[in-house]
């Protein structure tokens, strides 16, 4: 049966009916952002975006060693579009389009939407071995779930994890489809969208042939976590990601990253994209300090970031220097970036600077201050962001508020 529409109330009712002794949890969110970048004004609808969302997770052990997970997300504009805000969180990357007068333009469909973002079975056939089959979140260096949005991107995948070797985790994965950084719909090319509840089976990652990933994560060296990832994106690219995170003392930490992405297929023979990053962290008097540096070579073709969300403006990057809000910069070819940050309790300060000799439109400086507070059942975060860039769509000040209410039933 093909489902084309399903209200959030209906989904909640159906899921509750299934519950039994299962675990049901989730959260409700309200996100708001306003900016004076371009010709916009703070707290004016022409520079504001907002959304409300509800996430519901259902987990149940259906047999020994077999667990069922289902997740449903619903997103609503609450009718705010073109009244209090002029764009919606779920429909846009951070770089929104503007009309000739500099006003943000609501692009695409802003109707209320519900979709299944998680639908998988976890199998534990033997001790220390796990297999996850179905729609799920991923956390790998070059294909991962981004959590900045009001709804998170997920993947149709098969992931195997084994811990039989001492101090070693082996991971193998096949990834078929994903839904981009915009939650239920991908606005870019690399990952096929799977829509709401009636996905087309031909939509897949990288020319409908998916991608393979394999990793070794090892902790046998004292105070060190080392990981090595290999990716084969069919007809698109091969990639390697190597990383070592070292904690010589409880106060000091050191990180090293190296990655290379080799295009193939229609761009076979193009220059590889190579990146190097290092990070130093130190904790003193309750303050966690960090400084990082990264360099992406200037001849590479592929963005050094999340291949599941990269497009015209790129997605997040796992490089240590990634900005707090304005992605798409540190992973670009030719980018030389530095980042310093300080975290004290519920307060965070971060400065990111990106220089790029290839293109000055890909240069950016960002200062972000955040404060987080639990107010009754509400987890509240306020972010103040200042960005300087020749890209006028981000050059200016941004104020954001994130309200999240977690719950369990």
């Amino acid at each position: 049966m093909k489902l084309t529409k399903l209200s959030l109330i209906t989904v909640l009712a159906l899921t509750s009916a299934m519950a039994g002794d299962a675990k049901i949890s989730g959260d409700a969110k309200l996100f708001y952002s306003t900016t004076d970048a371009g010709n916009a004004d703070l707290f004016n609808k022409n520079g504001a975006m907002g959304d409300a969302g509800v996430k519901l997770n259902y987990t149940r052990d259906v047999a020994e060693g077999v667990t069922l997970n289902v997740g449903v997300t619903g997103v609503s504009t609450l009718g705010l579009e073109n009244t209090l805000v002029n764009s919606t969180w779920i429909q846009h990357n951070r770089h929104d389009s503007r009309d000739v007068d500099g006003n943000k333009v609501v692009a695409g469909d802003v109707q209320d939407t519900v979709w299944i973002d998680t639908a998988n079975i976890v199998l534990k056939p033997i001790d220390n071995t796990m297999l996850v089959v179905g729609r799920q979140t991923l956390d790998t260096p070059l294909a991962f779930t981004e959590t900045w949005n009001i709804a998170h991107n997920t993947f149709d995948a098969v992931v195997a994890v084994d811990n039989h070797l001492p101090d070693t985790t082996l991971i193998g994965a096949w990834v078929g489809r994903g839904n981009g950084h915009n939650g239920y719909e991908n606005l870019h090319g690399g990952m096929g969208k799977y829509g709401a509840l009636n996905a087309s089976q031909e939509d897949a990652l990288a020319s409908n042939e998916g991608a393979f990933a394999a990793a070794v994560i090892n902790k046998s060296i004292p105070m060190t976590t080392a990981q090595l990832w290999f990716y084969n994106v069919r007809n698109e690219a091969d990639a390697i990601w190597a990383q070592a995170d070292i904690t010589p003392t409880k106060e000091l930490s050191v990180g090293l990253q190296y990655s290379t992405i080799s295009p193939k297929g229609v761009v076979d023979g193009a220059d590889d994209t190579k990146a190097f990053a290092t990070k130093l962290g130190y904790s003193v008097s309750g303050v966690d300090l960090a400084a990082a540096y990264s360099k992406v070579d200037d001849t590479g073709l592929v963005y050094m970031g999340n291949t599941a969300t990269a497009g015209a403006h790129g997605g997040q990057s796992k490089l240590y220097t990634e900005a707090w809000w304005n992605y798409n910069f540190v992973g670009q070819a030719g980018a030389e970036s530095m980042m310093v940050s300080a975290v004290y309790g519920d307060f965070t300060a971060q400065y990111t600077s990106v220089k790029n000799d290839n293109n000055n439109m890909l240069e950016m400086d960002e200062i972000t201050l955040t404060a987080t507070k639990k107010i009754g059942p509400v987890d509240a975060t306020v972010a103040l962001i200042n960005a300087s860039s020749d890209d006028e769509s981000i050059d200016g000040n941004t104020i954001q508020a994130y309200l999240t209410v977690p719950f369990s039933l």
Side-chain angles (χ1 to χ4, degrees):
M1 180 174 67
K2 184 176 181 179
L3 299 177
T4 57
K5 293 183 179 179
L6 192 62
S7 71
L8 181 57
I9 293 176
T10 302
V11 172
L12 292 173
L14 290 173
T15 309
S16 297
M18 295 170 57
D21 58 354
K23 178 182 177 182
I24 297 179
S25 61
D27 55 50
K29 297 178 180 179
L30 180 63
F31 284 10
Y32 173 79
S33 177
T34 178
T35 183
D36 61 9
N39 294 324
D41 298 311
L42 286 174
F43 303 109
N44 188 294
K45 70 175 185 178
N46 69 343
M49 64 179 181
D51 257 321
V54 175
K55 176 77 172 75
L56 194 64
N57 303 307
Y58 170 88
T59 299
R60 184 171 186 173
D61 294 329
V62 296
E64 185 176 356
V66 181
T67 301
L68 172 67
N69 298 295
V70 178
V72 178
T73 291
V75 175
S76 174
T77 68
L78 299 180
L80 297 176
E81 67 274 13
N82 290 319
T83 54
L84 295 179
V85 302
N86 203 36
S87 63
T88 54
W89 210 283
I90 192 64
Q91 291 290 341
H92 291 270
N93 194 2
R94 291 179 169 77
H95 302 256
D96 298 292
S97 58
R98 297 177 182 274
D99 60 24
V100 293
D101 296 321
N103 297 317
K104 284 188 177 181
V105 177
V106 176
D109 190 3
V110 295
Q111 67 180 348
D112 297 350
T113 309
V114 178
W115 71 99
I116 295 175
D117 59 20
T118 303
N120 65 68
I121 294 178
V122 179
L123 305 173
K124 297 180 180 179
I126 56 177
D127 289 342
N128 299 319
T129 299
M130 179 177 67
L131 188 67
V132 185
V133 181
R135 189 162 297 178
Q136 58 191 283
T137 60
L138 291 181
D139 186 14
T140 83
L142 291 173
F144 56 92
T145 296
E146 299 182 16
T147 60
W148 59 267
N149 206 338
I150 197 168
H152 303 164
N153 60 301
T154 53
F155 303 80
D156 287 348
V158 178
V159 179
V161 181
D162 184 86
N163 289 291
H164 277 88
L165 298 177
D167 300 315
T168 301
T169 298
L170 302 177
I171 300 173
W174 175 83
V175 183
R177 295 186 297 183
N179 60 344
H181 56 67
N182 277 312
Y184 79 96
E185 183 176 15
N186 178 32
L187 301 183
H188 302 307
M191 296 286 286
K193 67 180 182 180
Y194 51 60
L197 300 175
N198 57 332
S200 171
Q201 292 300 315
E202 69 267 19
D203 287 333
L205 171 63
S207 304
N208 302 326
E209 295 191 21
F212 294 93
V216 178
I217 302 174
N218 183 271
K219 297 182 179 180
S220 59
I221 301 175
M223 302 171 290
T224 301
T225 298
Q227 52 183 312
L228 179 64
W229 292 81
F230 171 76
Y231 298 83
N232 170 234
V233 185
R234 302 292 300 276
N235 295 328
E236 296 289 332
D238 291 327
I240 294 174
W241 182 284
Q243 179 171 327
D245 295 289
I246 308 164
T247 53
T249 69
K250 65 178 181 179
E251 297 88 7
L252 180 65
S253 62
V254 179
L256 299 170
Q257 296 172 326
Y258 175 80
S259 183
T260 179
I261 303 178
S262 303
K264 59 183 180 180
V266 295
V267 292
D268 191 25
D271 288 341
D272 295 350
T273 298
K274 299 177 182 179
F276 166 81
T278 184
K279 182 179 180 180
L280 180 66
Y282 190 75
S283 298
V284 57
S285 301
V287 181
D288 295 326
L289 303 172
Y293 170 85
S294 69
K295 179 70 172 70
V296 183
D297 64 358
D298 57 10
T299 60
L301 178 66
V302 182
Y303 175 77
M304 186 60 70
N306 194 354
T307 58
T309 58
H313 295 290
Q316 273 188 323
S317 174
K318 287 283 191 178
L319 293 174
Y320 294 129
T321 51
E322 182 58 280
W324 193 92
W325 175 244
N326 290 289
Y327 310 142
N328 176 54
F329 293 92
V330 305
Q332 294 287 352
E336 187 171 12
S337 311
M338 59 87 64
M339 184 279 299
V340 292
S341 65
V343 179
Y344 179 72
D346 296 330
F347 300 93
T348 298
Q350 179 173 328
Y351 170 68
T352 305
S353 179
V354 185
K355 304 302 179 186
N356 195 314
D357 291 336
N358 287 354
N359 187 345
N360 61 2
M361 291 293 288
L362 297 175
E363 296 187 334
M364 183 271 300
D365 291 287
E366 176 191 289
I367 300 174
T368 299
L369 304 175
T370 71
T372 300
K373 180 70 175 179
K374 189 171 183 63
I375 306 173
V378 181
D379 296 327
T381 297
V382 174
L384 307 178
I385 305 159
N386 174 266
S388 300
S389 176
D390 287 344
D391 182 349
E392 293 185 356
S393 68
I394 70 164
D395 184 64
N397 301 292
T398 300
I399 301 173
Q400 297 178 344
Y402 302 79
L403 304 178
T404 302
V405 181
F407 59 82
S408 60
L409 302 176

